[in-house]
Amino acid sequence: MRNSSLPSVTALFAVGAALLFFSQVQAEPESGTVTVSVGDVQVIPAGADAGQAVKAGEKVAVGSTVKTGAASRAVIVITPRSAIRVSENSEVLIAQVDEAATPKKIVIDVKDGSLGALLKPNAAGEIDFQVKTPSGVAAARGTFFAVVVEDGKGYAQVKEGRVEIIPENGN
């Protein structure tokens, strides 16, 4: 009897250890998951000089830059309640994803081009979602907005909800 119960205890211990490991992995900041990649979509990891093509289903680590070419676009799910759409001819840095913070903090830095941000309804209180531009920060207070950087200036368009605009100089 004892010997037959040993595999069950060992299996139970292995499952428990796997769940503990999985929960610790989940506590770390998540990377985004590419759900759409059309055309020339490159990801440049933090500290790297060159990028590599990215396909749907692949991860984009925090600190990476996403660059799109002409007639190209990417959709990246950042958290289960937020996503971004990087438009053609754009360069976007996934600067911060802190899922342990309350509210969760996401910072996307648009270097050039345009980006659409989508937060699921009622997520604004759960997520501090900010999009940086050279002109300032667009902080989500609603559910769907777009940001464009053109000639070193940032512009925001609100599709639904509210966006707080914080100028670069803080005024």
Side-chain angles (χ1 to χ4, degrees):
M1 245 351 193
R2 280 185 151 170
N3 290 340
S4 65
S5 66
L6 186 57
S8 299
V9 171
T10 303
L12 186 58
F13 178 74
V15 169
L19 288 173
L20 178 61
F21 175 76
F22 182 71
S23 68
Q24 288 173 344
V25 169
Q26 290 298 320
E28 295 297 317
E30 292 288 318
S31 56
T33 302
V34 176
T35 58
V36 174
S37 178
V38 175
D40 180 21
V41 180
Q42 302 276 321
V43 172
I44 305 166
D49 294 328
Q52 57 190 41
V54 67
K55 300 180 290 195
E58 294 182 346
K59 297 283 186 182
V60 178
V62 174
S64 296
T65 298
V66 178
K67 290 180 88 170
T68 56
S72 301
R73 68 183 182 280
V75 175
I76 302 168
V77 175
I78 303 297
T79 69
R81 297 186 58 89
S82 65
I84 59 173
R85 181 184 188 272
V86 183
S87 298
E88 69 176 328
N89 299 318
S90 297
E91 182 177 344
V92 173
L93 168 68
I94 301 177
Q96 181 180 4
V97 177
D98 185 354
E99 292 197 60
T102 304
K104 294 176 171 87
K105 180 151 182 148
I106 291 105
V107 178
I108 309 296
D109 191 348
V110 180
K111 303 295 187 184
D112 193 25
S114 61
L115 170 127
L118 175 65
L119 279 65
K120 287 190 178 178
N122 304 320
E126 299 172 25
I127 300 173
D128 179 9
F129 194 101
Q130 299 180 8
V131 178
K132 290 177 62 178
T133 73
S135 303
V137 175
R141 305 293 182 249
T143 58
F144 186 54
F145 67 101
V147 174
V148 176
V149 173
E150 188 174 285
D151 297 326
K153 294 182 180 174
Y155 304 91
Q157 177 184 17
V158 180
K159 302 280 188 185
E160 185 177 317
R162 296 178 334 169
V163 172
E164 177 183 3
I165 304 297
I166 305 163
E168 177 62 27
N169 62 9
N171 295 328

